[in-house]
Amino acid sequence: ARSEWAVIEARDEFKIHGSELGALRSELREERAKAERSGRAAADASDTSKAQAELLDELTSELRTEQATAVRLARALAEASDASTAHDELLAALRAELREE
């Protein structure tokens, strides 16, 4: 009778441990799934970050090109303004000479 009781207790203990093991396996699967989702999210964020960095580099390069163009245009405008001023001064001097004659 005692050995039967011991077998019943051992079987119950085995069932309890089996249930606990099953619960632990389920938790492990859930944690693995979470880790995989986190890993994918991190990879996606990394890809997005890389794409944003590349876009920023491209935009920075375009901005530098636009700035260089703006500087050249400003210089050309200044030269044209100087030439126009010199032309106006020359015309004024010629008019003055014509009036004197």
Side-chain angles (χ1 to χ4, degrees):
R2 284 188 182 195
S3 65
E4 286 180 31
W5 185 253
V7 168
I8 292 171
E9 284 182 352
R11 188 179 58 208
D12 289 346
E13 281 291 317
F14 182 75
K15 286 181 183 178
I16 290 169
H17 290 299
S19 295
E20 290 174 356
L21 183 58
L24 289 173
R25 284 182 180 153
S26 293
E27 284 183 45
L28 180 60
R29 280 192 293 271
E30 288 175 17
E31 290 301 319
R32 282 183 181 161
K34 285 179 188 177
E36 286 177 19
R37 285 191 300 272
S38 294
R40 283 192 299 269
D44 290 347
S46 177
D47 291 346
T48 299
S49 179
K50 286 177 187 175
Q52 288 174 340
E54 289 171 3
L55 179 59
L56 181 60
D57 288 345
E58 184 179 324
L59 291 173
T60 300
S61 176
E62 289 179 20
L63 178 60
R64 286 185 183 129
T65 300
E66 292 297 323
Q67 286 174 332
T69 300
V71 167
R72 284 193 303 277
L73 288 173
R75 286 180 184 153
L77 180 59
E79 288 174 12
S81 176
D82 291 347
S84 177
T85 300
H87 183 260
D88 289 346
E89 290 171 358
L90 178 60
L91 282 176
L94 287 174
R95 285 184 186 130
E97 280 184 34
L98 284 174
R99 285 186 204 130
E100 290 175 5
E101 290 179 10

